[in-house]
Amino acid sequence: MDLITEQTEATSWPAHAAAVGTHDTVMRVIRKHLPSLTNRRTCDLPCGAGLFSKRLHEEGAEVFAFDIEDVRPYYGPSTSRALANANDFLPIANNTFDLMVSIEGIEHVENGSQLLREMARCTKDDGIMVISTPNTDSFRSRIVTIWKGYPKYFNPMDMESKASGHLQPVDMVFMHGAAKKAGLEIIDIQTVQQNRDRGVALWLQELVRPWFTRSLPEKMRGKVPFYGDVIIYVLRKQPVNS
């Protein structure tokens, strides 16, 4: 695969920009569905500072990392990194990857449905896609919305931008609908549990969960997505005859 060589001005970014525990949980989810990454052609989009690309490389994967910005310092294998705009068509051939990973990416793009279609196009028929995003359906995020008027992690910085460059929240209903339209099926959903989710008030959260979720679709009334600041989806292409 030919990588893009165009360069932009280097952008400083935190080495670990994802929420605490996200990388570890995503890796556990990947191992559950792909026990071995050895020689697996893998895409990390967006790669940011490359810490997760580095982990994939250490697991034996053949990593190709993409980001819209030339983030520095970069910790992943630099020979496999290139610039790409996930708001557009990706510079990747059809059916290229065994695994595509997008950690905290879909909430940054202008069209999440377009991203899912592109990920589906670039993934092999027997490959999987793993996507994480802030869990706007969680109890904590819904409380923030009630009190502040916006989901957790989507606070406006001014009239034109939101925190961390987020554009729009991605809820579970959107993901299910957009995945189906992209010819994908969601085969697993996990959340990144934070210590504060398990505190002394857990009994109270469990007490109110049936009432708080009563108007939601049945699949949204459980502990997923009620707990966890980050939600992780595992997707694969739907069989042609489905």
Side-chain angles (χ1 to χ4, degrees):
M1 175 175 21
D2 293 330
L3 297 184
I4 301 176
T5 57
E6 175 189 356
Q7 292 293 309
T8 62
E9 183 178 351
T11 302
S12 177
W13 193 252
H16 194 294
V20 175
T22 300
H23 283 190
D24 289 339
T25 307
V26 169
M27 186 57 74
R28 284 197 298 270
V29 169
I30 290 172
R31 289 185 181 128
K32 174 182 175 182
H33 294 274
L34 286 176
S36 174
L37 288 179
T38 302
N39 297 325
R40 295 277 194 172
R41 185 165 272 199
T42 301
C43 176
D44 184 14
L45 171 79
C47 62
L51 283 181
F52 199 74
S53 293
K54 181 175 183 289
R55 290 186 65 162
L56 292 168
H57 178 72
E58 291 170 348
E59 292 280 332
E62 182 185 3
V63 182
F64 296 88
F66 297 90
D67 203 287
I68 195 172
E69 295 178 335
D70 181 17
V71 179
R72 298 181 191 176
Y74 183 73
Y75 302 93
S78 59
T79 56
S80 62
R81 182 175 67 142
L83 300 181
N85 187 349
N87 293 300
D88 203 346
F89 294 103
L90 299 174
I92 301 165
N94 294 352
N95 305 311
T96 294
F97 295 112
D98 300 293
L99 168 67
M100 288 196 77
V101 181
S102 182
I103 297 177
E104 318 291 297
I106 193 170
E107 69 277 4
H108 289 265
V109 300
E110 297 165 0
N111 188 336
S113 296
Q114 161 74 7
L115 177 63
L116 288 178
R117 288 192 295 268
E118 277 295 277
M119 291 182 71
R121 179 184 66 79
C122 299
T123 303
K124 296 177 181 179
D125 289 343
D126 58 350
I128 64 169
M129 290 142 271
V130 179
I131 297 174
S132 79
T133 190
N135 183 11
T136 58
D137 292 307
S138 72
F139 176 73
R140 285 167 50 79
S141 184
R142 294 175 72 187
I143 290 296
V144 169
T145 302
I146 290 171
W147 287 106
K148 296 187 177 181
Y150 49 79
K152 186 174 174 61
Y153 300 123
F154 289 87
N155 50 297
M157 304 302 292
D158 51 46
M159 285 301 295
E160 297 180 354
S161 61
K162 298 176 184 177
S164 301
H166 292 169
L167 290 183
Q168 49 197 336
V170 177
D171 60 41
M172 184 178 279
V173 173
F174 170 83
M175 278 295 296
H176 276 77
K180 184 176 182 180
K181 291 176 182 177
L184 301 171
E185 60 178 337
I186 296 173
I187 61 173
D188 195 5
I189 305 175
Q190 302 287 335
T191 57
V192 179
Q193 299 291 326
Q194 307 292 340
N195 289 335
R196 51 184 172 270
D197 290 323
R198 307 188 185 97
V200 294
L202 181 59
W203 66 269
L204 178 60
Q205 295 179 52
E206 275 297 283
L207 183 66
V208 303
R209 180 163 59 89
W211 176 84
F212 213 72
T213 61
R214 69 193 187 285
S215 62
L216 297 175
E218 185 175 354
K219 289 184 178 180
M220 296 179 63
R221 298 176 193 169
K223 293 184 178 180
V224 173
F226 194 75
Y227 298 110
D229 282 347
V230 175
I231 190 164
I232 301 166
Y233 298 92
V234 182
L235 307 95
R236 67 183 177 195
K237 292 183 181 179
Q238 293 179 337
V240 175
N241 59 355
S242 65

